[in-house]
């Protein structure tokens, strides 16, 4: 499950991140928003996993570049300790255009020593080179939806196959983003990408809806 932030604006209703994150970043609010999201997500899914459900649920939380500073490790440590969530059930997601310098590399390395996973989001659309991929101490590579959209075409299918093979060589698992059709899911599976996210499986929903539909027991095969 990926934790997504929304703003319940008193006048404009439910706002998606594209409506407010840039302004929040300009105001220096992203680190605090990220910290609160991390606390909320770890707490909720510690409670979910404490129910003794058949398969533990991992939760992914996005980290912006501004959240990879000196406080990143302490924030994650506090969130895990406060919630009781097992570190292996937390994945921290960064975009590939996060500048990897010695400081960021050290921070990501310290985060992995806590036992959490690192996912690279929207892979294939950023400015990083393939050489830089080895600089990320990641465990998950998320294939950008633009390639999944075109997976029925030979060129994009070749790109996805190449990314999946690259990830396999680097011992990374892959996730196809933006999966909307059974054909896309089938093509990804054929290429060795067995994890996906997108509207085929579920749209973004509030936690209580997610809990009712998916976390009370085995998911219905009709979904």
């Amino acid at each position: 499950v990926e934790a997504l932030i929304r703003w319940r604006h008193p006048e404009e209703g439910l706002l998606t991140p594209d409506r407010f994150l840039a302004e929040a970043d300009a105001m220096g609010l992203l680190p605090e928003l990220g910290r609160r999201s991390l606390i909320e997500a770890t707490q909720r899914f510690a409670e979910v996993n404490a129910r003794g459900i058949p398969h533990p649920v991992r939760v992914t939380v996005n980290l912006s570049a501004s959240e990879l500073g000196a406080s990143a490790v302490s924030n994650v440590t506090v969130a895990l300790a406060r919630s009781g969530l097992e570190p292996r059930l937390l994945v921290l997601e960064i975009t590939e255009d996060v500048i990897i310098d010695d400081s960021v590399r050290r921070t990501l390395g310290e985060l992995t020593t806590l036992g959490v996973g690192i996912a690279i989001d929207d892979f294939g659309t950023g400015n990083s080179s393939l050489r830089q991929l080895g600089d990320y101490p990641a465990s998950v590579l998320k294939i950008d939806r633009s390639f999944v959209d075109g997976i029925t075409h030979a060129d994009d299918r070749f790109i996805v196959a190449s990314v999946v093979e690259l990830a396999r060589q680097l011992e990374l698992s892959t996730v196809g983003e933006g999966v909307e059709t059974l054909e896309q899911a089938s093509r990804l599976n054929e290429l060795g990408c067995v994890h996906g996210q997108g509207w085929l499986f579920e749209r973004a929903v509030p936690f209580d809806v997610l809990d009712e539909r998916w976390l009370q027991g085995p998911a219905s095969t009709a979904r």
Side-chain angles (χ1 to χ4, degrees):
V1 173
E2 181 173 354
L4 303 174
I5 192 169
R6 298 290 186 268
W7 180 11
R8 295 188 183 278
H9 193 282
E11 297 175 356
E12 299 184 42
L14 195 66
L15 302 183
T16 53
D18 59 295
R19 297 283 305 278
F20 62 86
L21 278 192
E23 288 80 1
D25 191 17
M27 297 172 67
L29 296 177
L30 273 191
E32 177 60 17
L33 284 175
R35 188 189 69 82
R36 293 182 61 178
S37 297
L38 184 64
I39 292 290
E40 180 79 10
T42 52
Q43 182 62 50
R44 290 203 182 234
F45 283 90
E47 294 170 358
V48 166
N49 285 296
R51 299 173 188 167
I53 55 179
H55 302 288
V57 180
R58 291 195 305 174
V59 60
T60 298
V61 179
N62 292 276
L63 288 185
S64 65
S66 60
E67 294 173 74
L68 288 171
S71 62
V73 176
S74 63
N75 285 344
V76 173
T77 301
V78 168
L80 291 172
R82 182 180 298 181
S83 66
L85 182 71
E86 293 183 52
R88 68 184 181 89
L89 299 179
L90 175 63
V91 178
L92 302 172
E93 191 169 301
I94 62 173
T95 56
E96 64 167 320
D97 56 3
V98 169
I99 298 174
I100 295 296
D101 56 20
D102 289 341
S103 175
V104 172
R105 189 181 296 108
R106 183 166 53 251
T107 296
L108 292 175
E110 291 175 1
L111 288 170
T112 60
T113 63
L114 297 177
V116 305
I118 301 293
I120 303 174
D121 193 19
D122 301 333
F123 184 75
T125 61
N127 298 319
S128 66
S129 67
L130 290 178
R131 174 64 188 85
Q132 286 179 297
L133 186 58
D135 292 335
Y136 296 91
S139 55
V140 180
L141 196 64
K142 302 184 74 173
I143 302 169
D144 187 72
R145 66 176 302 137
S146 61
F147 300 116
V148 175
D149 284 344
I151 201 170
T152 56
H153 304 295
D155 288 348
D156 281 345
R157 190 159 58 249
F158 174 77
I159 292 172
V160 172
S162 300
V163 171
V164 171
E165 175 59 20
L166 174 64
R168 188 185 69 80
Q169 294 290 339
L170 294 173
E171 299 183 344
L172 306 174
S173 63
T174 50
V175 177
E177 296 184 288
V179 181
E180 297 185 0
T181 67
L182 286 171
E183 183 177 12
Q184 290 172 338
S186 178
R187 295 279 188 171
L188 284 167
N189 190 57
E190 290 170 2
L191 296 175
C193 179
V194 298
H195 300 99
Q197 69 178 74
W199 286 1
L200 175 64
F201 311 109
E202 183 65 276
R203 297 186 178 226
V205 293
F207 177 80
D208 57 346
V209 176
L210 173 78
D211 194 20
E212 180 181 354
R213 291 180 183 174
W214 296 101
L215 304 179
Q216 298 298 325
S220 168
T221 56
R223 293 192 183 280

